[in-house]
Amino acid sequence: MLRFDPFSDLDEWARSMLSTQVGSNRAPRFMPMDLCKIDDHYVLTADLPGVDPGSVDVSVENGMLTISAHRSARSDESAQWLANERFFGNFRRQISLGEGVDTSAIKATYENGVLTVTIPLAESAKPRKIAVERAGEQKTIEAATVDAE
């Protein structure tokens, strides 16, 4: 007999977040990030303090941006833990990009524990002027974009 419990994942997540075991092997659950649009590009910033810069990987495949990184655990086995709140292990976050970005021009930098990914808009998605012709005269109208706030 197979039982289906739709809340099992939520229960497991709550148990892991509320665990008070000192020195436990907890895995990271999230990668805090901000995403904003500035002029003709998006800027994603993600907090990854204590992560080895060589472990940071940013990739794009089928319109999906994937960020992954690794923070190593302390290896001092003689330590007597009084508090152990910092997560270690693998971090991973995926963001769907949509069709209006230029995936071939995405750039990423990692500095002071912050990953910054610059995602430019595709030329076809940038605002542009469109010439409107009427019999005997020509007038230029600027195409406007509406930003949702």
Side-chain angles (χ1 to χ4, degrees), residues 31-32 45-53 56 69 71 109-116:
M31 179 189 305
T45 51
D47 290 343
L48 293 169
V51 167
D52 175 21
V56 177
R71 182 185 302 135
T109 59
Y110 180 70
E111 183 178 358
N112 296 327
V114 177
L115 175 69
T116 303

Side-chain angles (χ1 to χ4, degrees), residues 25-40:
N25 186 10
R26 297 178 298 148
R29 298 290 183 220
F30 58 90
M31 179 189 305
M33 69 166 220
D34 294 331
L35 179 64
C36 65
K37 183 178 180 212
I38 301 173
D39 299 325
D40 62 350

Side-chain angles (χ1 to χ4, degrees), residues 6-69:
F7 298 104
S8 63
D9 288 341
L10 182 61
D11 289 341
E12 182 180 337
W13 175 80
R15 274 193 302 277
S16 69
M17 294 304 288
L18 298 174
S19 172
T20 59
Q21 294 178 346
V22 175
S24 63
N25 186 10
R26 297 178 298 148
R29 298 290 183 220
F30 58 90
M31 179 189 305
M33 69 166 220
D34 294 331
L35 179 64
C36 65
K37 183 178 180 212
I38 301 173
D39 299 325
D40 62 350
H41 62 279
Y42 295 97
V43 177
L44 181 148
T45 51
D47 290 343
L48 293 169
V51 167
D52 175 21
S55 76
V56 177
D57 182 59
V58 179
S59 62
V60 177
E61 185 177 345
N62 296 326
M64 187 71 67
L65 177 75
T66 302
I67 301 169
S68 57

Side-chain angles (χ1 to χ4, degrees), residues 73-86:
R74 296 189 122 191
S75 60
D76 189 356
E77 294 181 19
S78 65
Q80 181 180 1
W81 293 99
L82 303 175
N84 185 22
E85 299 174 350
R86 297 178 62 214

Side-chain angles (χ1 to χ4, degrees), residues 43 50 82 106 117 121:
V43 177
L82 303 175
I106 294 175
V117 181
L121 287 173

